[in-house]
């Protein structure tokens, strides 16, 4: 191994160590004191509930662990968006579980909480996965109600999705394990079946204090909307549980009886591990995002037996396309090549940049995968499309549009891994969040933005200097340096993978060695949902 490999390895393992440290903190939710208080009430935490519900020893993946990171600090923060979401297995059946974290503002819904819940429902709808709600929430966080209440992608969309999923035959099971008030009371009751935990669970449109204020009636919350009331008087809930574990055991028994699903039929054979060491990824991936490396070496450490069948290997070389298997599943891979390549015409092309020929190749390959019903995996390390007169005269906009068209209209499931750079229109062409990947996740080395921090700072500095010059003023060299550093520091924070994950632009930040698990579980989920429409590119310029 050369010295650069060792430096890269040290850097990437430090990033991984930082990721693990942040995850430990996030998993404490509202903190140890609030966890202890929950236990005193005889309740499990959101994570403990999910861990008890999911099959022991089976794989699972968490969606949005870093949602809300460094957001809402003036309101005390909102770790994981106040809700925990995992895809895992219950009695061997793949499900998605959504659990309110009562240690975070009593499980109240912040704006990002609503976005995360909608993302969980989107995954359930796209993949026709059973969804389990573990409800323990004080309802909308009132100081921010205007950011979550009335709009299309706000709180009310949750209940609309409940109704739509029911019409689609997607199983929804809800357990009321704490507070469930006001508009939030509709979620469990719009589910197929609802459970409630005795003495700790409650459901009502208005609590006892509001009832007293509104109509003058004096009543306690348990009599108003407790387990006995709703299981024996109102008939609102279907099962009464004595405690959290009893409720979760009931859910396991219900899920165990669900029939098999119609399969999409994606090709799978016996899984095999890569023949090359996966750990080499840490040394191959460079420390600096501007450095070159061979993406093919990354691919060989992600795919079964390190076998990769390249498509149009010698053409459009700044995008690698080809067929492989990941954990036994057949996949088509579209990846940005990050090393400088030389074309047959003797021209040099920059790594990580999409040229006309590479966009043309990718478009054709995506169409082939749709024709063959092969899921697509995008490995992003892209700085954008090639610019300049030669590219413009050669029709780069037209060729880029064809690629974006193919990605947008693709009907096979897509999975996006942000390995490094994810800049500008390159993010779109390589299936960024706006293009409906079933799952999109980042490595700790990822950066997402219109452009890199240094480039953005230079552009913004030039604009500022031009503006001042028009007024007859000029920046000194010291002022230029100070302004440049200030702009770059702000921009660097915004390109961080944690900034993106906090806003749910990506579903997670993961250890690169977990990539195979995410893609495999993602395709397994997608296999629940047969393709319902043909692949059609519509109108494109050829």
């Amino acid at each position: 191994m050369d010295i650069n490999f060792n430096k890269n390895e040290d850097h990437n393992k430090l990033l991984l160590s930082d990721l693990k440290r942040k995850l430990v903190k996030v998993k404490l939710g509202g903190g140890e004191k609030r966890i202890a208080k929950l236990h005193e009430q005889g309740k499990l935490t959101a994570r403990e509930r999910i861990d008890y519900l999911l099959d022991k020893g089976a794989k699972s993946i968490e969606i949005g662990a870093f949602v809300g990171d460094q957001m809402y600090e003036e309101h005390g923060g909102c770790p994981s968006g106040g809700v925990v979401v995992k895809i895992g297995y219950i009695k061997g059946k793949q499900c998605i579980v959504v659990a309110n974290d009562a240690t975070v503002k009593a499980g109240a819904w912040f704006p990002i909480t609503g976005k995360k819940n909608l993302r969980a429902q989107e995954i359930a709808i796209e993949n026709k996965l059973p969804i389990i709600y573990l409800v323990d929430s004080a309802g909308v966080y009132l100081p921010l109600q205007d950011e979550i209440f009335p709009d299309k992608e706000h709180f009310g969309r949750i209940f609309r999705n409940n109704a739509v999923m029911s019409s689609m035959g997607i199983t929804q099971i809800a357990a009321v394990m704490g507070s469930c008030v006001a508009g939030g009371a509709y979620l469990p009751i719009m589910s197929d079946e609802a459970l409630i935990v005795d003495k700790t669970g409650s459901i009502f449109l208005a609590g006892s204090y509001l009832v007293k204020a509104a109509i003058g009636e004096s009543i306690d919350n348990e009599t108003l909307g407790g387990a006995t009331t709703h299981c024996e008087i109102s008939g609102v809930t279907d099962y009464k549980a004595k405690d959290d574990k009893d409720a979760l055991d009931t859910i396991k028994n219900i899920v165990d009886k669900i029939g098999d699903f119609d399969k999409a039929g994606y090709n799978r054979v016996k899984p095999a591990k890569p023949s090359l060491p996966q750990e080499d990824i840490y040394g191959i991936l460079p420390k600096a995002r501007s450095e070159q490396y061979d993406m093919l070496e990354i691919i060989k450490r992600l795919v079964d037996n390190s076998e990769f069948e390249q498509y149009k290997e010698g053409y459009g070389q700044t995008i690698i396309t080809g067929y492989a298997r990941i954990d036994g599943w057949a996949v088509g891979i579209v990846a940005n090549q990050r090393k400088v390549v030389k074309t047959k015409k003797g021209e040099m092309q920059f790594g990580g940049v999409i040229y006309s020929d590479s966009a043309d190749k990718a478009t054709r390959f995506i169409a082939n995968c749709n024709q063959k019903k092969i899921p697509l995996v995008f490995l992003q390390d892209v700085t954008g499309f090639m610019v300049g007169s030669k590219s413009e005269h050669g029709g780069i906009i037209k060729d880029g549009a064809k690629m974006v068209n193919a990605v947008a209209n693709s009907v096979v499931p897509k999975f996006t891994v942000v390995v490094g750079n994810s800049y500008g229109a390159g993010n779109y062409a390589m299936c960024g969040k706006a293009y409906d990947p079933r799952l999109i996740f980042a490595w700790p080395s990822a950066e997402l933005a219109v452009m890199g921090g240094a480039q953005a700072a230079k552009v913004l500095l030039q604009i500022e200097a031009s503006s001042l010059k028009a007024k007859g003023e000029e920046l000194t060299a010291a002022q230029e340096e100070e302004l440049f550093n200030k702009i770059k520091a702000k921009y660097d924070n915004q390109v961080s993978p944690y900034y993106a994950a906090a806003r749910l632009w990506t579903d997670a930040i993961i250890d690169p060695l977990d990539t195979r698990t995410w893609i495999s579980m993602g395709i397994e989920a997608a296999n629940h949902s047969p393709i319902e429409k043909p692949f059609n590119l519509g109108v494109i310029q050829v």
Side-chain angles (χ1 to χ4, degrees), residues 143-453:
L144 298 174
Q145 64 84 28
D146 62 317
E147 297 179 39
I148 188 173
F149 170 63
D151 210 346
K152 180 178 178 180
E153 300 300 330
H154 284 176
F155 192 57
R157 189 76 171 184
I158 302 290
F159 316 127
R160 175 264 186 195
N161 286 350
N162 287 143
V164 168
M165 283 190 280
S166 182
S167 72
M168 294 174 66
I170 298 170
T171 298
Q172 300 176 83
I173 302 169
V176 179
M177 310 179 85
S179 297
C180 185
V181 300
Y186 287 104
L187 184 147
I189 311 312
M190 293 188 74
S191 300
D192 300 335
E193 296 182 86
L195 305 82
I196 186 167
V197 179
D198 196 22
K199 299 298 186 287
T200 56
S202 58
I203 310 172
F204 32 67
L205 296 181
S208 56
Y209 293 124
L210 187 54
V211 167
K212 177 68 174 177
I215 63 173
E217 180 184 4
S218 296
I219 190 170
D220 63 89
N221 282 338
E222 182 65 25
T223 305
L224 181 66
T228 299
T229 294
H230 287 309
C231 285
E232 300 176 18
I233 299 174
S234 72
V236 165
T237 50
D238 306 306
Y239 306 89
K240 182 202 266 190
K242 63 182 180 182
D243 55 27
D244 280 9
K245 289 185 177 180
D246 185 36
L248 298 170
D249 285 335
T250 301
I251 293 173
K252 291 180 185 182
N253 292 334
I254 296 170
V255 172
D256 190 40
K257 311 300 187 298
I258 297 174
D260 203 359
F261 53 90
D262 295 333
K263 295 177 177 64
Y266 301 119
N267 186 297
R268 193 182 197 189
V269 299
K270 184 179 179 181
K273 291 183 179 180
S275 58
L276 295 174
Q278 294 180 70
E279 294 79 7
D280 286 354
I281 289 173
Y282 301 129
I284 295 168
L285 198 62
K287 180 178 179 179
R289 292 275 48 81
S290 58
E291 290 181 26
Q292 304 286 299
Y293 66 96
D294 190 350
M295 179 63 87
L296 190 58
E297 294 303 317
I298 298 286
I299 292 171
K300 288 178 180 178
R301 286 156 178 82
L302 292 176
V303 301
D304 292 14
N305 295 315
S306 299
E307 294 175 350
F308 182 60
E309 187 70 31
Q310 279 209 62
Y311 172 83
K312 289 185 180 289
E313 181 177 351
Y315 176 72
Q317 295 177 71
T318 64
I319 288 183
I320 298 172
T321 53
Y323 303 105
R325 290 190 182 274
I326 293 179
D327 200 34
W329 295 103
V331 296
I333 293 176
V334 181
N336 301 112
Q337 175 57 288
R338 283 292 292 145
K339 68 176 184 179
V340 173
V341 298
K342 189 175 183 179
T343 70
K344 293 296 182 182
K345 296 178 181 179
E347 298 171 338
M348 304 304 293
Q349 292 185 343
F350 297 105
V353 178
I354 302 175
Y355 290 76
S356 283
D357 54 358
S358 48
D360 176 65
K361 176 172 83 170
T363 301
R364 177 69 180 232
F365 180 72
I366 290 166
N368 274 331
C369 287
N370 276 272
Q371 182 84 353
K372 297 179 177 71
K373 204 162 73 170
I374 300 173
L376 285 159
V377 174
F378 292 83
L379 301 178
Q380 286 193 2
D381 195 344
V382 59
T383 52
F385 285 86
M386 191 58 192
V387 297
S389 60
K390 185 175 181 180
S391 291
E392 298 294 357
H393 296 171
I396 185 66
I397 296 175
K398 178 181 67 177
D399 292 317
K402 286 193 294 187
M403 183 177 174
V404 169
N405 192 314
V407 173
N409 284 300
S410 182
V411 295
V412 295
K414 299 166 293 196
F415 302 90
T416 302
V417 187
V418 187
V419 171
N421 302 325
S422 181
Y423 295 158
N427 169 280
Y428 303 156
M430 291 296 294
C431 197
K433 182 68 179 289
Y435 290 80
D436 299 320
R438 296 294 176 98
L439 294 171
I440 177 170
F441 47 95
W443 290 359
S445 49
E447 291 186 357
L448 291 87
V450 173
M451 62 182 73

Side-chain angles (χ1 to χ4, degrees), residues 1 4-22 277-287 289 443-445 498 510-513:
M1 299 297 178
N4 282 335
F5 185 98
N6 292 332
K7 286 181 178 179
N8 293 339
E9 186 176 43
D10 289 345
H11 173 74
N12 286 309
K13 285 188 174 179
L14 280 172
L15 291 180
L16 181 59
S17 177
D18 190 43
L19 168 64
K20 291 178 178 178
R21 179 181 58 80
K22 288 176 182 288
Q278 294 180 70
E279 294 79 7
D280 286 354
I281 289 173
Y282 301 129
I284 295 168
L285 198 62
K287 180 178 179 179
R289 292 275 48 81
W443 290 359
S445 49
Y498 295 97
I510 69 164
D511 182 341
L513 302 191

Side-chain angles (χ1 to χ4, degrees), residues 29-30 34 37-38 41 43 49 77-79 81-83 100-110 113 135-141 178-181:
R34 290 179 182 172
K37 186 176 179 181
L38 214 62
Q41 297 170 354
K43 297 163 70 174
R49 287 166 175 167
C78 189
V83 62
N100 299 115
D101 187 348
T103 69
V104 179
K105 298 290 184 183
W109 288 55
F110 283 67
T113 315
V135 184
D136 194 345
S137 172
V140 167
Y141 183 63
S179 297
C180 185
V181 300

Side-chain angles (χ1 to χ4, degrees), residues 84-105:
V84 182
V85 176
K86 284 191 178 184
I87 300 174
Y89 302 88
I90 301 171
K91 294 291 185 177
K93 289 184 174 63
Q94 197 177 42
C95 302
I96 185 163
V97 185
V98 181
N100 299 115
D101 187 348
T103 69
V104 179
K105 298 290 184 183

